[in-house]
Amino acid sequence: MRRSSAASKKKSDSITSSTTDLFRSGPSKATSKEMDRIDHLFNQYANTSSNLIDPEGIEELCSNLEVPHTDIRILMLAWKMKAEKQGYFTQEEWRRGLKALRADTLSKLKKALPELEKEVRRQSNFADFYAYAFRYCLTEEKQKSIDIETICQLLDIVMGSTFRAQVDYFVEYLKIQNDYKVINMDQWMGFYRFCNEISFPEMTEYNPELAWPLVLDSFVEWISEKQA
Amino acid sequence: VQESFGNQSFRMERKTIDLEQGWDYMQTGITKLKRILEGLPEPQFDSEQYMMLYTTIYNMCTQKPPHDYSQQLYDKYREAFEEYINSTVLPALKEKHDEYMLRELVKRWSNHKVMVRWLSRFFYYLDRYFIARRSLPPLNEVGLTCFRDRVYNELHSKVKDAVIALVDKEREGEQIDRALLKNVLDIYVEIGMGQMERYEVDFESFMLLDSASYYSRKASSWIQEDSCPDYMLKSEECLKKERERVAHYLHSSSEPKLVEKVQHELLVVYANQLLEKEHSGCRALLRDDKVDDLSRMYRLYHKIAKGLEPVANIFKQHVTAEGNALVQQAEDTATNQAANTASVQEQVLIRKVIELHDKYMVYVVECFQNHTLFHKALKEAFEIFCNKTVAGSSSAELLATFCDNILKKGGSEKLSDEAIEDTLEKVVKLLAYISDKDLFAEFYRKKLARRLLFDRSANDDHERSILTKLKQQCGGQFTSKMEGMVTDLTLARENQTSFEEYLGNNPAANPGIDLTVTVLTTGFWPSYKSFDINLPSEMVKCVEVFKGFYETKTKHRKLTWIYSLGTCHLNGKFDHKPIELVVSTYQAAVLLLFNTTDKLSYNDILTQLNLSHEDLVRLLHSLSCARYKILVKEPSTKTVSQTDSFEFNAKFTDRMRRIKIPLPPVDERKKVVEDVDKDRRYAIDAAIVRIMKSRKVLGHQQLVSECVEQLSRMFKPDIKAIKKRMEDLITRDYLERDKENANMFRYLA
């Protein structure tokens, strides 16, 4: 039982009426009903004082969806919502995401997840999603890089299922090297290109004289030495 | 029927000459001619006979039809030759062979030309009108064509074989009749009637083939039997002989073709085997300094396309090996000996490298005629071994130390002025081969500073001279700081004079100690660590007095004192006799502490002076454990430890009245390398930004190569270092990677 559901329910009543106007494209009973349900679902997880779904709320959502908290599908959901802050969903973002998924109930949302995954994994979308995953982890305002440990976790979540070997090796390398304490967006995207363009573990196409980020040059060198 | 021209009266009435009649008459002339040619007793034609023959033709051509016999005469003219050739000439030739045949041919050709000449004179009238009117070949050509078609075409192959046989005979050393061959070959040329085709196709092509196979055979046995020098001598001789052959009897146009064939068989086919011959090939010749043989090798291969490349390559490898050996030698000696002698070895190395350069430059200029390929080979060879490290010192450092030794007082090199100038010149030339020029500059600067500040420079002219040479070679930017340093010293002297005036005018300000201050312009001089040592009060006063003076001159500059470079003269009041001690400022600070206290512990001194452990240990060591023990250390172990205590050594004495107590300098190498690395990072950044600013968008590899190029005058940037700087610039939003093409970068304004 949601702790503040009673109170939140009251609150939502007052908000819904004005906000649904915004979302309604035209007089359509179906859409407004849908939006109502979406909002209703939002309120089940949101924190009343901030009117945001906070980390705790997300955790509960995950448990209800029967999806692990660190599962890539949550990240995909965040992407679909274009969520800006890690660990939080605003109402706008929630609405955006669920409307796009045509999911106005928990069960519909759950059912929409496999389809969402397919959509994200399409080549045309995945690069965008991959970049999004990086930005999503930037917590401070002027932050441009992410610490190694977080990167390792992120790599595992985002690329682990499709590029297991590369991720495992790269994570191992990142942990033992001393040159870099953080990874920036350019290096992050470089790894994506690496996985897509270079055969593994042969890596015959790899040419360090091209514009690959230096960290990948060192990574490839390290693997070659290991294999020798 | 008689014709008479109306109003003209000729003495001789022209009777119509009938063809048969006329021709019979001509035949007498032809027969006479043949008799002359055959060498039979027959008088020459006189002018009347000639006239008669000529006129006969004339008349027969100018008669009115049907008695104008031009066409028939034209045909009969040709038939005369054909008849003679078939009946007499050809049989005479066919019965002979070889050289006899050749002689006969020359004779017959000569005769034929005479026959053509005479007959065409008799029949000349035809040439004037008939042949032009009917566009027919002139008489001369008809005559020659007869010989060509009937004699030449029959025999030219046999003749060619005979000629070539003689040529080969001559090649084997036998004497042959060169004039005969010349005459025979002239036939081939002349028979072409203006074109060289007959000579080329019927003779030359075969001769070239035969020559090629002749020399191919020779080469294949010589290459096995002869040493490289001997083979080259033979080749040179062969080429000379073949050229002579052309001059004597072949047509001049054959020369380049023949030479090419001979060169090919002797020098191109076996080039590799020849040059690489184990005990006498190029490598061995270089090793044994066989200058003449190498010059010959150059001469021979110079004319062959790409012929010099393998030679230059072997030269490069040889010089590289010699250079590497020198480096290895120095490395080995250094590891086997103590530190002091190691530096001597390094000096020796530079000397030897200079000698090596001199030696092989002579080769390039003399043996190899200054050819660019060899200049390049020498350069590349030196670039390889001149950039190696010896016993931990980079070549840049070694070279800087070498210069320092020449330029400082009491340096290890004792040379005349001229020898010094010459050596400096050579050293600067060597610098061209060193890729880390900026590293050299920094070491040089550090050592120059030491020479200037401690008055260790042996000769101002030499100091200036080397800066001029460096400037010429490396540009003004390279030497601007160094020149600034030298200028600073001059200014400092002037400054000191005004300071002394100032003291004279302000007796109250006088610190009571003789003080000389050298003001250095920051930026020109290397950076020095300067930390806050607690100076003795006497020195504090000096600093303040000078500061006061300096502020009268300029208010806009800040003075930062570098005590580590200062020198003090102290009077040591020892029991036996007073001795003047020349010490560094730091050493003086330590010693002056003992004016107030007899005995001090390590920690006392540490606290009072506010120094680091590393520095204090060095100082105390120099005063208590080295050659001159001004302080007595307790316990009297060989090294200073933090539990020691020190006392003024009143019993100290020396036979000299003044002694210098050296403080061994801290190893500069690490700091120099760090400073240079830092400067390089900035230089790479600046280069990348400069390039991207002007290009806006550029591919990665192009950016890297332009960057390397721009920086190459000072150092060879590491590709990794460039990549690292690029990444940094991306993070700092100077650059971004193109969205479409990951290998392109854009400048972000």
Side-chain angles (χ1 to χ4, degrees):
Chain A
M1 183 68 169
R2 198 77 196 113
R3 52 181 156 83
S4 50
S5 62
S8 62
K9 206 168 177 166
K10 275 198 199 134
K11 200 162 183 241
S12 74
D13 281 337
S14 55
I15 293 177
T16 321
S17 45
S18 54
T19 43
T20 35
D21 294 322
L22 279 169
F23 279 81
R24 237 189 315 172
S25 47
S28 156
K29 272 196 180 165
T31 323
S32 67
K33 271 237 158 52
E34 193 181 75
M35 200 49 69
D36 284 347
R37 285 195 284 273
I38 288 175
D39 287 342
H40 177 77
L41 202 55
F42 180 76
N43 293 325
Q44 289 193 327
Y45 299 101
N47 178 309
T48 15
S49 38
S50 58
N51 200 41
L52 296 167
I53 298 182
D54 62 15
E56 256 186 65
I58 291 181
E59 215 177 308
E60 180 147 348
L61 173 68
C62 289
S63 128
N64 290 349
L65 287 171
E66 286 170 351
V67 164
H69 173 68
T70 50
D71 194 275
I72 192 177
R73 287 170 285 178
I74 296 302
L75 194 51
M76 289 179 176
L77 186 59
W79 173 76
K80 197 69 183 166
M81 291 182 195
K82 300 198 204 298
E84 278 188 28
K85 192 162 173 198
Q86 187 189 36
Y88 295 88
F89 295 148
T90 66
Q91 186 161 31
E92 196 176 318
E93 291 166 354
W94 179 263
R95 282 173 168 179
R96 181 184 297 132
L98 269 69
K99 185 165 169 22
L101 290 172
R102 324 215 77 208
D104 53 6
T105 63
L106 189 66
S107 67
K108 277 199 205 161
L109 182 57
K110 189 166 168 186
K111 288 207 181 85
L113 290 180
E115 198 56 48
L116 172 62
E117 185 165 354
K118 248 205 284 190
E119 182 194 342
V120 171
R121 289 204 186 279
R122 272 206 291 277
Q123 192 74 338
S124 47
N125 286 328
F126 197 81
D128 187 63
F129 169 71
Y130 182 83
Y132 172 80
F134 185 88
R135 286 195 301 273
Y136 193 62
C137 292
L138 298 171
T139 47
E140 308 304 315
E141 212 197 291
K142 296 236 168 119
Q143 190 182 355
K144 294 209 169 138
S145 320
I146 299 176
D147 64 277
I148 295 292
E149 205 183 311
T150 310
I151 286 287
C152 291
Q153 289 168 4
L154 198 61
L155 278 172
D156 193 53
I157 295 176
V158 175
M159 303 279 267
S161 52
T162 36
F163 296 106
R164 183 82 263 152
Q166 287 93 320
V167 168
D168 282 347
Y169 272 91
F170 194 48
V171 160
E172 188 188 332
Y173 173 70
L174 287 176
K175 289 193 172 150
I176 61 160
Q177 57 78 40
N178 290 315
D179 296 322
Y180 296 94
K181 302 241 176 345
V182 292
I183 295 293
N184 65 25
M185 176 63 97
D186 188 63
Q187 292 160 318
W188 173 254
M189 295 310 293
F191 183 71
Y192 178 70
R193 274 189 301 124
F194 177 83
C195 289
N196 280 304
E197 293 173 27
I198 307 292
S199 61
F200 200 80
E202 300 83 20
M203 300 184 296
T204 40
E205 311 89 340
Y206 191 85
N207 181 358
E209 286 181 16
L210 294 177
W212 294 102
L214 201 51
V215 66
L216 290 177
D217 290 346
S218 311
F219 170 55
V220 169
E221 218 176 286
W222 172 78
I223 294 186
S224 313
E225 274 162 29
K226 247 169 95 99
Q227 284 172 347
Chain B
V1 172
Q2 212 170 300
E3 268 194 359
S4 58
F5 300 91
N7 32 354
Q8 292 170 331
S9 48
F10 286 100
R11 275 295 219 83
M12 215 168 73
E13 269 187 8
R14 275 185 61 170
K15 274 180 31 195
T16 309
I17 309 173
D18 153 41
L19 181 59
E20 199 176 317
Q21 197 190 338
W23 186 249
D24 278 345
Y25 182 70
M26 291 312 294
Q27 275 293 117
T28 60
I30 293 170
T31 307
K32 181 179 170 75
L33 181 56
K34 286 194 223 176
R35 283 178 61 83
I36 293 172
L37 294 176
E38 290 294 320
L40 296 169
E42 180 72 45
Q44 290 294 323
F45 287 95
D46 63 38
S47 45
E48 202 188 316
Q49 286 168 317
Y50 168 71
M51 267 307 297
M52 285 301 295
L53 289 164
Y54 177 87
T55 311
T56 308
I57 296 295
Y58 175 86
N59 289 340
M60 289 204 275
C61 289
T62 51
Q63 286 165 176
K64 284 219 157 61
H67 302 294
D68 55 339
Y69 298 117
S70 296
Q71 179 66 55
Q72 293 91 318
L73 289 173
Y74 185 76
D75 293 334
K76 281 199 182 300
Y77 166 83
R78 193 187 62 250
E79 282 158 20
F81 289 109
E82 287 173 357
E83 190 278 320
Y84 181 56
I85 287 169
N86 287 338
S87 66
T88 316
V89 177
L90 262 183
L93 284 168
K94 281 195 166 154
E95 73 184 10
K96 299 196 174 58
H97 306 281
D98 308 317
E99 203 170 324
Y100 300 102
M101 173 193 56
L102 295 180
R103 284 188 204 290
E104 188 65 30
L105 178 66
V106 169
K107 188 182 103 181
R108 291 292 168 185
W109 170 248
S110 173
N111 283 356
H112 183 81
K113 285 191 281 189
V114 169
M115 191 171 169
V116 170
R117 201 182 322 134
W118 279 99
L119 287 191
S120 59
R121 278 181 196 160
F122 299 156
F123 287 70
Y124 179 60
Y125 194 75
L126 288 174
D127 258 348
R128 284 196 70 186
Y129 296 106
F130 177 69
I131 63 142
R133 238 189 287 137
R134 304 279 182 95
S135 302
L136 291 166
L139 296 180
N140 190 56
E141 196 179 317
V142 172
L144 294 184
T145 313
C146 278
F147 192 89
R148 183 192 68 193
D149 294 345
R150 297 201 173 244
V151 181
Y152 176 85
N153 282 353
E154 276 283 315
L155 295 172
H156 70 76
S157 184
K158 214 171 142 200
V159 170
K160 168 258 301 175
D161 288 338
V163 171
I164 288 179
L166 285 172
V167 167
D168 282 342
K169 217 168 141 188
E170 191 183 43
R171 283 180 176 147
E172 287 299 310
E174 289 185 50
Q175 287 258 26
I176 60 165
D177 186 345
R178 286 172 154 179
L180 172 63
L181 288 195
K182 178 146 188 35
N183 289 332
V184 171
L185 293 177
D186 280 345
I187 299 175
Y188 283 84
V189 176
E190 286 171 41
I191 214 84
M193 293 190 272
Q195 303 288 331
M196 284 299 288
E197 208 185 328
R198 299 269 56 84
Y199 173 82
E200 283 171 6
V201 173
D202 300 332
F203 170 74
E204 193 188 57
S205 59
F206 295 98
M207 181 274 294
L208 290 174
L209 271 172
D210 172 79
S211 305
S213 85
Y214 177 85
Y215 282 108
S216 169
R217 279 194 307 278
K218 288 287 170 187
S220 68
S221 72
W222 289 346
I223 197 71
Q224 304 290 338
E225 298 156 4
D226 295 324
S227 70
C228 173
D230 286 343
Y231 187 98
M232 289 198 294
L233 269 165
K234 283 184 179 166
S235 300
E236 205 172 44
E237 190 61 32
C238 289
L239 283 165
K240 179 162 158 247
K241 289 236 150 67
E242 293 300 327
R243 286 204 173 88
E244 275 173 24
R245 181 157 297 119
V246 173
H248 283 116
Y249 51 84
L250 299 178
H251 189 266
S252 61
S253 65
S254 292
E255 186 172 329
K257 300 175 208 175
L258 181 57
V259 165
E260 192 269 321
K261 281 267 184 265
V262 176
Q263 259 173 200
H264 181 82
E265 294 303 328
L266 288 177
L267 299 171
V268 173
V269 170
Y270 291 105
N272 199 48
Q273 267 167 278
L274 181 65
L275 295 176
E276 298 281 352
K277 256 186 187 272
E278 203 178 323
H279 303 293
S280 63
C282 190
R283 253 174 261 280
L285 296 176
L286 284 166
R287 204 184 49 221
D288 300 333
D289 296 324
K290 298 279 189 212
V291 171
D292 289 334
D293 292 325
L294 288 166
S295 303
R296 177 165 300 110
M297 189 178 273
Y298 175 81
R299 282 199 301 277
L300 288 171
Y301 279 94
H302 175 54
K303 304 204 187 100
I304 294 173
K306 303 214 183 231
L308 287 176
E309 262 138 53
V311 182
N313 208 29
I314 295 178
F315 178 66
K316 177 175 157 185
Q317 287 170 14
H318 175 80
V319 175
T320 311
E322 297 259 298
N324 279 337
L326 289 180
V327 169
Q328 189 58 48
Q329 213 176 58
E331 177 83 43
D332 291 339
T333 329
T335 47
N336 292 337
Q337 294 177 359
N340 290 336
T341 44
S343 63
V344 170
Q345 274 311 306
E346 286 148 25
Q347 297 301 106
V348 167
L349 172 63
I350 302 287
R351 270 266 162 244
K352 286 191 177 160
V353 170
I354 291 177
E355 279 165 24
L356 191 74
H357 191 258
D358 287 344
K359 175 177 175 185
Y360 286 106
M361 187 51 95
V362 170
Y363 273 67
V364 172
V365 170
E366 293 180 8
C367 286
F368 304 125
Q369 303 295 310
N370 249 326
H371 195 281
T372 37
L373 261 182
F374 291 89
H375 274 289
K376 187 163 168 250
L378 186 69
K379 171 172 170 288
E380 286 173 4
F382 270 76
E383 278 171 359
I384 292 173
F385 66 81
C386 281
N387 285 300
K388 293 201 162 169
T389 317
V390 178
S393 311
S394 61
S395 53
E397 189 184 343
L398 289 179
L399 211 56
T401 312
F402 186 77
C403 293
D404 189 51
N405 269 318
I406 295 182
L407 294 164
K408 73 180 184 199
K409 286 180 188 164
S412 55
E413 307 268 345
K414 287 191 173 26
L415 303 162
S416 69
D417 275 351
E418 222 177 278
I420 290 183
E421 271 299 300
D422 187 61
T423 307
L424 291 178
E425 180 97 32
K426 299 206 164 123
V427 165
V428 172
K429 288 223 168 71
L430 272 191
L431 184 60
Y433 301 123
I434 291 183
S435 44
D436 291 342
K437 294 180 183 46
D438 57 349
L439 196 58
F440 168 82
E442 195 56 24
F443 276 114
Y444 187 86
R445 208 159 67 109
K446 273 244 145 69
K447 291 172 199 288
L448 173 65
R450 210 161 264 288
R451 290 197 301 276
L452 293 174
L453 294 175
F454 297 112
D455 189 28
R456 297 237 197 92
S457 192
N459 184 317
D460 268 355
D461 290 335
H462 289 312
E463 292 282 358
R464 273 179 215 288
S465 159
I466 190 178
L467 287 183
T468 313
K469 294 187 213 295
L470 285 171
K471 193 168 169 174
Q472 270 174 352
Q473 176 136 315
C474 307
Q477 228 192 341
F478 193 84
T479 50
S480 61
K481 288 183 190 171
M482 300 169 197
E483 287 176 329
M485 285 160 69
V486 174
T487 318
D488 265 0
L489 273 237
T490 318
L491 290 177
R493 273 178 233 127
E494 287 169 18
N495 211 31
Q496 179 65 18
T497 317
S498 338
F499 178 56
E500 280 160 17
E501 260 176 49
Y502 168 85
L503 289 179
N505 296 337
N506 297 295
N510 199 309
I513 303 177
D514 285 337
L515 173 67
T516 310
V517 179
T518 313
V519 180
L520 311 175
T521 313
T522 327
F524 288 161
W525 297 77
S527 55
Y528 294 100
K529 273 193 304 179
S530 179
F531 41 90
D532 295 321
I533 181 174
N534 282 339
L535 287 177
S537 54
E538 303 94 317
M539 295 189 192
V540 172
K541 178 125 206 275
C542 288
V543 168
E544 277 175 19
V545 165
F546 188 83
K547 218 170 129 191
F549 156 73
Y550 197 71
E551 269 159 20
T552 68
K553 306 207 86 190
T554 163
K555 295 224 190 298
H556 303 294
R557 304 210 187 128
K558 180 178 163 208
L559 288 173
T560 307
W561 293 82
I562 306 179
Y563 303 114
S564 55
L565 297 175
T567 314
C568 282
H569 292 237
L570 298 179
N571 279 325
K573 300 209 170 91
F574 302 101
D575 288 347
H576 184 88
K577 70 171 197 242
I579 299 180
E580 189 180 323
L581 305 171
V582 180
V583 292
S584 74
T585 309
Y586 288 165
Q587 286 166 315
V590 170
L591 290 175
L592 287 172
L593 291 177
F594 291 87
N595 274 351
T596 46
T597 329
D598 286 332
K599 192 166 176 175
L600 287 164
S601 74
Y602 176 94
N603 282 316
D604 290 336
I605 304 176
L606 184 75
T607 335
Q608 288 200 40
L609 293 183
N610 190 30
L611 287 169
S612 72
H613 285 292
E614 204 185 312
D615 288 308
L616 187 56
V617 165
R618 250 178 71 233
L619 287 169
L620 289 171
H621 189 280
S622 71
L623 297 168
S624 64
C625 306
R627 183 176 166 193
Y628 302 114
K629 293 177 173 52
I630 311 297
L631 298 178
V632 175
K633 186 168 83 76
E634 217 177 290
S636 61
T637 50
K638 291 228 164 75
T639 52
V640 173
S641 56
Q642 296 186 21
T643 49
D644 292 341
S645 56
F646 300 85
E647 215 176 315
F648 174 66
N649 185 6
K651 302 255 180 299
F652 174 80
T653 192
D654 191 89
R655 66 184 175 88
M656 304 297 279
R657 284 203 166 276
R658 173 206 278 187
I659 54 177
K660 196 161 164 191
I661 306 187
L663 183 60
V666 193
D667 184 17
E668 335 172 288
R669 183 186 301 156
K670 210 170 119 192
K671 179 144 198 301
V672 168
V673 171
E674 271 172 26
D675 286 345
V676 169
D677 278 341
K678 205 165 70 175
D679 287 341
R680 284 180 179 179
R681 286 202 287 276
Y682 293 138
I684 296 174
D685 278 359
I688 294 173
V689 170
R690 205 169 33 237
I691 294 166
M692 291 306 295
K693 196 166 172 181
S694 92
R695 309 297 222 97
K696 305 290 180 215
V697 180
L698 199 57
H700 173 82
Q701 273 144 315
Q702 229 182 319
L703 177 57
V704 169
S705 72
E706 278 193 35
C707 201
V708 168
E709 208 197 298
Q710 274 199 22
L711 297 167
S712 63
R713 276 176 53 236
M714 290 303 278
F715 66 101
K716 210 157 89 170
D718 200 277
I719 308 296
K720 282 195 176 192
I722 296 179
K723 264 200 178 182
K724 197 125 212 270
R725 299 320 305 153
M726 276 172 68
E727 288 192 347
D728 198 63
L729 288 169
I730 291 173
T731 312
R732 281 150 61 197
D733 289 326
Y734 277 87
L735 302 178
E736 71 173 1
R737 201 184 283 266
D738 186 86
K739 303 268 185 298
E740 314 293 310
N741 181 350
N743 269 308
M744 295 283 261
F745 291 90
R746 296 178 174 280
Y747 180 66
L748 293 171

